[in-house]
Amino acid sequence: CRCQNDRNWTMDFVSEGSRELTGYAPEELVGNQALSFNDLICPHHRERVWQKWQDVLQVRGRFEDEYEITTRNGQVKWVWEQGEGVFSQEGRILALEGFISDIDERKRAGLERDRLVAAIEQSGETVVITDAAGSILYVNAAFEKITGYSREEAIGQNPKILSSGQHDREFYRQMWNTLMAGHQWEGQIVNRRKDGSLYTEMAAIS
């Protein structure tokens, strides 16, 4: 797209991709025939996008930002814009040129992941994630508090660091048979903290 550096982002050129991105045909956006691009940007992003463009133009840099727009059918969608200013030989700003991409699916997946991580971090139950070989990739804050092992100490270790010696081989054989069959194992485990004290917890492993 190509637009003027005004508060309405008055469009001089819009590609056919605008139909899929916004629901508006190019001719509806050029010259703000149907509405201005500023009207598409969700209100809580407008001032930031404007100011960031002005800051970039001051140093003749490259603009990059993510923000939400409202499409013709009322859908709120995340987009990514990249562009730069077009200047005259005298240094006067002539236009802005760039492209805008739909990143809604990726952005929302990222936000959902962030919410999930926040929920896990705030949980009072220990959460441990390992790779297929059994090396710990992640532990939450509750794990650190209950076991005494810091995140840095636990990552890369095997959960066997918690082994209390209270369970026989048959106990672990049944656990692994359940897991290898694709099922969740649930049961009571006696574990050992970093300081050597024992604690009992109900575990669900999958």
Side-chain angles (χ1 to χ4, degrees):
C1 61
R2 181 184 176 104
C3 69
Q4 298 300 308
N5 185 40
D6 59 36
R7 282 281 185 166
N8 286 319
W9 308 114
T10 302
M11 292 291 172
D12 297 326
F13 168 78
V14 180
S15 74
E16 279 294 320
S18 68
R19 295 179 189 273
E20 184 175 353
L21 184 69
T22 70
Y24 291 92
E27 57 270 21
E28 293 180 285
L29 297 179
V30 170
N32 300 339
Q33 293 299 308
L35 80 172
S36 72
F37 189 78
N38 189 60
D39 291 330
L40 289 176
I41 300 174
C42 291
H44 53 286
H45 293 294
R46 288 174 187 166
E47 187 60 32
R48 191 195 78 249
V49 172
W50 168 260
Q51 192 55 58
K52 190 168 182 177
W53 258 114
Q54 302 319 299
D55 293 343
V56 165
L57 292 173
Q58 286 292 321
V59 296
R60 297 200 181 189
R62 191 162 186 82
F63 175 91
E64 288 188 39
D65 201 4
E66 298 176 356
Y67 54 86
E68 293 170 290
I69 64 170
T70 303
T71 66
R72 185 170 209 151
N73 64 9
Q75 177 190 1
V76 175
K77 178 185 292 187
W78 279 96
V79 298
W80 175 66
E81 181 179 356
Q82 182 177 15
E84 57 190 0
V86 178
F87 296 86
S88 68
Q89 290 184 343
E90 296 77 26
R92 182 171 60 87
I93 181 68
L94 300 176
L96 311 177
E97 287 187 349
F99 59 88
I100 301 170
S101 304
D102 184 344
I103 61 166
D104 194 65
E105 186 174 337
R106 174 175 64 79
K107 183 72 174 181
R108 293 191 186 282
L111 293 173
E112 183 63 28
R113 180 200 62 218
D114 292 345
R115 283 192 289 267
L116 178 60
V117 169
I120 291 173
E121 278 298 307
Q122 294 170 23
S123 172
E125 299 180 350
T126 63
V127 176
V128 181
I129 299 174
T130 75
D131 61 17
S135 294
I136 295 174
L137 301 175
Y138 169 85
V139 297
N140 69 344
F143 174 93
E144 295 181 287
K145 181 178 180 180
I146 291 172
T147 70
Y149 288 99
S150 69
R151 193 163 304 188
E152 291 74 21
E153 291 173 314
I155 290 176
Q157 298 290 334
N158 188 286
K160 290 179 181 178
I161 60 173
L162 303 176
S163 178
S164 64
Q166 301 293 305
H167 303 288
D168 57 22
R169 288 186 177 183
E170 180 60 21
F171 176 87
Y172 291 107
R173 188 186 68 80
Q174 291 180 5
M175 176 192 293
W176 280 107
N177 284 346
T178 299
L179 295 173
M180 293 302 99
H183 303 301
Q184 178 171 282
W185 182 90
E186 295 183 7
Q188 193 174 77
I189 297 182
V190 178
N191 282 332
R192 188 182 304 275
R193 297 183 180 91
K194 182 181 178 180
D195 65 8
S197 61
L198 302 182
Y199 67 99
T200 302
E201 64 180 353
M202 289 298 300
I205 306 173
S206 59

